[in-house]
Amino acid sequence: MRRSLKNGDFRLVYQPIIDARDETMVGVEALCRWRHPVRGETPPSAFIAIAEESGLIEQLGLFVLRQACLDARNWPGVIVSVNVSPRQFEDERFPEAVLKILAETGLEPSRLELELTENLAVVDLDLARAKMLALQNHGVRVALDDFGSGHSSLNYLLSLPFDKLKVDRFFVSKIESGSASAAIIHAIVSIGRALGMHVTAEGVETAEQQQFLRVAGVHSFQGFRFSRPVDASEISSRLQAQQALAQLLPTPPAPLTMAVDAHGLS
Ligand code: C2E
Ligand code: MG
Ligand code: MG
């Protein structure tokens, strides 16, 4: 892994995040891939835990953050989400390291979102809150990833100032199979909205799931229904196509306003 970090065997792919209202791409999530010199393409499920155990996650995490910020400079207006391992977040110099990378790459902080997994074992909630605020004060957003998959969900929502909540893929995958998951999703969306958070649904694969989630009030979608994770160059071409289409479409008419004067409607 150490050698691979030096040799450039790690790279990023990006999965689009889609606005629920008009289905445009409003964000991307950076996902790490390892082309292992012997084993070939290796998924994060097989290497993130090893990177965490060996202590290499800090170096890998910094690489991911820097590369995502560099790539995102080519995508004006798009938010780039980066996964942060609990080990990285535990480091007291973490906010400083993030701000340094933003300054070096020149990406506006408001275009970066950090995803903290719900499996984060926060020992000191006050310290975690202080770190989040240090980043949020500069405009960086913080999302709670895989919401509902861990044990501390509600406690985290009560104590930590998240900007976004990502509904775990597990619940989305069960939408069509029963009313229990539908009820849970409704509850998650109302909690998120009541706390003023943006809600994204992960793992959206079918039209039925999309329809259900839209009606339930989810703000954005991520999943194979819209796109698998793709290379940075593919994100650039899709954004260009999206912009070209937006220029072709007629601008929506200004809302009809009616003035009422002494002579009636005018
Ligand atoms: P995550 O952050 O929840 O990322 C979403 C995962 O769901 C990605 O898997 C993505 O490919 C997959 N996915 C997206 N849409 C669908 C869908 O419609 N159906 C299904 N079945 N899967 C979908 P991936 O890329 O294998 O990543 C797995 C996990 O590894 C991530 O979950 C994240 O926790 C972790 N990870 C990935 N990259 C990094 C990284 O750079 N740093 C850290 N710390 N963790 C990372
Ligand atoms: Mg994530
Ligand atoms: Mg997730």
Side-chain angles (χ1 to χ4, degrees):
M1 194 175 272
R2 199 168 283 122
R3 213 176 313 126
S4 277
L5 272 164
K6 259 200 217 118
N7 294 349
D9 295 333
F10 285 97
R11 68 178 207 288
L12 295 185
V13 287
Y14 294 90
Q15 188 175 30
I17 296 174
I18 306 294
D19 189 296
R21 287 164 309 178
D22 58 9
E23 294 190 23
T24 55
M25 187 189 332
V26 285
V28 289
E29 177 172 6
L31 296 160
C32 192
R33 297 289 179 264
W34 183 10
R35 195 170 290 132
H36 190 284
V38 180
R39 291 189 203 141
E41 283 292 331
T42 311
S45 55
F47 68 78
I48 293 290
I50 300 170
E52 284 172 339
E53 281 158 29
S54 63
L56 281 171
I57 193 71
E58 317 242 324
Q59 205 183 331
L60 180 63
L62 291 178
F63 157 76
V64 170
L65 201 55
R66 183 181 301 276
Q67 190 60 49
C69 289
L70 285 173
D71 287 337
R73 289 195 312 185
N74 300 322
W75 307 324
V78 170
I79 307 284
V80 67
S81 302
V82 175
N83 291 289
V84 171
S85 137
R87 279 285 300 267
Q88 284 174 275
F89 188 69
E90 272 166 25
D91 188 336
E92 60 185 36
R93 292 156 305 173
F94 177 71
E96 211 180 297
V98 173
L99 296 173
K100 185 160 173 263
I101 288 180
L102 282 166
E104 282 167 5
T105 56
L107 185 77
E108 310 93 79
S110 59
R111 290 228 281 120
L112 177 66
E113 180 170 83
L114 300 173
E115 294 192 1
L116 296 178
T117 166
E118 202 194 72
N119 299 311
L120 193 78
V122 177
V123 187
D124 185 340
L125 281 166
D126 288 335
L127 189 62
R129 191 185 311 111
K131 282 184 201 161
M132 285 173 66
L133 288 173
L135 290 158
Q136 287 167 323
N137 286 340
H138 283 83
V140 176
R141 291 162 217 226
V142 188
L144 182 55
D145 203 358
D146 311 324
F147 183 79
S149 66
H151 305 291
S152 329
S153 339
L154 296 175
N155 187 21
Y156 284 166
L157 286 189
L158 200 62
S159 324
L160 300 173
F162 288 101
D163 300 288
K164 186 198 249 190
L165 192 156
K166 294 186 85 174
V167 182
D168 192 64
R169 177 166 98 222
F170 175 77
F171 299 112
V172 174
S173 71
K174 298 275 181 262
I175 286 175
E176 285 123 322
S177 59
S179 56
S181 50
I184 289 174
I185 289 182
H186 276 300
I188 295 179
V189 175
S190 19
I191 293 174
R193 281 185 164 263
L195 294 176
M197 290 187 288
H198 184 102
V199 181
T200 299
E202 305 188 273
V204 183
E205 292 184 352
T206 67
E208 289 73 22
Q209 291 167 353
Q210 176 186 358
Q211 165 80 351
F212 174 87
L213 291 161
R214 196 180 53 75
V215 173
V218 163
H219 298 96
S220 53
F221 308 127
Q222 185 178 351
F224 296 167
R225 166 147 178 82
F226 304 96
S227 173
R228 290 190 174 253
V230 295
D231 288 337
S233 58
E234 177 64 24
I235 295 290
S236 299
S237 17
R238 289 192 195 177
L239 279 172
Q240 272 168 15
Q242 183 169 297
Q243 274 152 15
L245 187 67
Q247 276 166 6
L248 282 178
L249 291 172
T251 41
L256 205 60
T257 49
M258 285 184 292
V260 183
D261 59 22
H263 309 289
L265 290 176
S266 60

